[in-house]
Amino acid sequence: MKKVLYIWLVRFFAAWWGKKEPTLVVYLMSFGNNNEFIVKLGQKCSREGKQLVVLFYPSCSGAANDLAAAGIKTVSFTEGLHFLFSGLRFVVAAKLLFCDNYYAFLAGCQFKRQKTRVVQVWHANGAVKSFGWQEPKTQLRSAAAQKRFQAVYDQFDDYVIASPKMGEIFSESYDVDKKKMLTLGYPRSDKFLRAEWITQKRRRFYQVNPALKGKEVILYAPTYRESTTGVTLELPEDFFQLVGRLASNQVLIIKLHPHLKNISQLIRTRLAKSKQVLWMDDFTTEDLLPVTDRLITDYSSVAFDYTLLDNAQEILFYCYDLHEYQNQVGLQHDFEQWLPGPLVLTTAELAQTLKKPLLRQDFRQFNQLWNTRNDGQATARIIKHYFG
């Protein structure tokens, strides 16, 4: 009932704020991983005499501060009553609205359809998990909730994607027309193909960690699991013995999802005595990818980024809870067919795989499927498409 009332209030305030002609370019930010695109977007807006406003979740404060330093107007927001009196006015004043996620309040927005274009620039480059109508939990929700979900999906005029494969998933998951899919490439992928960015990340990493030169860097970057009390990550007990099986020239960097801060501390405590396990708080996952020799992940989208890099050698999919995750969260039905590396179901199997010599895997087929238009020019194409 509360959500129904909230959407009704959004509809009322959106109509109030929306009396003027839309003129702004607005970016809704829930992930702080697309700053380079936003800066280029801001520069284009300045040249065109338009104003860009970035509305960001508090979790993206760091990225927002960098944007503000670049001269871009930023406004913090969380969905709730305060948003109705503050942030919503920017949203309904948008002539061009970029969204990096699903935003529930969009169900109540009454855009002037001939004057406002709503664009989905998804925060991930591909999909292992299911979402939308393909997510098992969605089918268990009430008819009213399902109606709200579809109202949000239908708000998007365009879905910016990198591959026909992702277009098929969006079309099926959100029950929207395939004609809405624009295969322009993901702007946040451009940096992974830019030599200057890669060199800068490697230089900084080895300046801070000179002892790691010549070491085999293994990055473990799992996603979180949802539970009745929030998000969690329950690693198998024998995972904590894995570090004792690493070769002397190997180091394991563990980089958990930002939602797992509390869990991170517990795992650190368990592994505190191991000199081969490193925690690098001053580096993001993206910062670490250019120095990673072996990537261990699970259902995270990090694999879609890693395979774009020239140093990408091996990916292991450590899915110790595969069947449970598949039933509760859901996975793409064909994911085992296109995984660009071995599916590892036990810690023992993972340890055995890490003992094998590092051999470069061939990611060409995977990239043709998922990174079709991720060629380093996505930002330029998107800006040209919307600004000419």
Side-chain angles (χ1 to χ4, degrees), residues 183-194:
T183 313
L184 299 173
Y186 278 109
R188 56 173 293 277
S189 74
D190 286 353
K191 56 180 170 288
F192 300 121
L193 293 144
R194 198 169 70 249

Side-chain angles (χ1 to χ4, degrees), residues 230-276:
V231 295
T232 188
L233 180 69
E234 297 181 5
L235 291 169
E237 187 60 31
D238 57 0
F239 175 83
F240 297 96
Q241 283 76 54
L242 167 66
V243 293
R245 304 173 192 172
L246 293 177
S248 59
N249 69 319
Q250 293 176 318
V251 292
L252 176 66
I253 301 174
I254 299 179
K255 198 68 182 177
L256 301 186
H257 193 282
H259 291 347
L260 293 168
K261 288 183 178 178
N262 293 336
I263 302 298
S264 176
Q265 191 55 50
L266 293 175
I267 297 176
R268 287 185 192 216
T269 301
R270 294 285 306 274
L271 297 172
K273 295 181 179 180
S274 175
K275 295 181 180 179
Q276 288 178 278

Side-chain angles (χ1 to χ4, degrees), residues 1-17 57 77 79-81 83-84 88 91-92 102-111 141-153 155:
M1 186 62 187
K2 288 182 179 180
K3 292 181 179 179
V4 174
L5 177 60
Y6 179 66
I7 295 301
W8 185 89
L9 288 171
V10 170
R11 189 173 292 116
F12 175 81
F13 279 92
W16 173 264
W17 290 118
Y57 282 172
F77 85 102
E79 294 190 39
L81 292 178
F83 172 67
L84 302 177
L88 184 60
V91 175
V92 296
Y102 170 98
Y103 292 93
F105 70 83
L106 290 176
C109 290
Q110 302 296 305
F111 294 110
R141 303 296 292 271
S142 67
Q146 293 180 358
K147 184 178 180 180
R148 287 198 309 274
F149 299 159
Q150 192 61 51
V152 175
Y153 308 153
Q155 287 285 31

Side-chain angles (χ1 to χ4, degrees), residues 370-384:
W370 287 102
N371 288 313
T372 315
R373 289 305 298 276
N374 286 337
D375 57 2
Q377 302 300 318
T379 294
R381 276 194 296 269
I382 294 169
I383 290 176
K384 182 178 180 180

Side-chain angles (χ1 to χ4, degrees), residues 15 225 234 290 297:
R225 276 65 167 164
E234 297 181 5
T297 187

Side-chain angles (χ1 to χ4, degrees), residues 35 38-43 52-54 64 67-74:
N35 270 20
I38 297 172
V39 169
K40 292 285 181 64
L41 187 63
Q43 292 170 348
L52 170 64
V53 180
V54 176
L67 293 173
I72 295 171
K73 182 178 178 61
T74 60

Side-chain angles (χ1 to χ4, degrees), residues 24 26 28 55 83 87-95 97 105-106 109 111 116:
L24 299 176
V26 176
L28 297 178
L55 271 65
F83 172 67
L88 184 60
R89 66 188 178 94
F90 295 107
V91 175
V92 296
K95 188 174 181 66
L97 176 64
F105 70 83
L106 290 176
C109 290
F111 294 110
T116 298

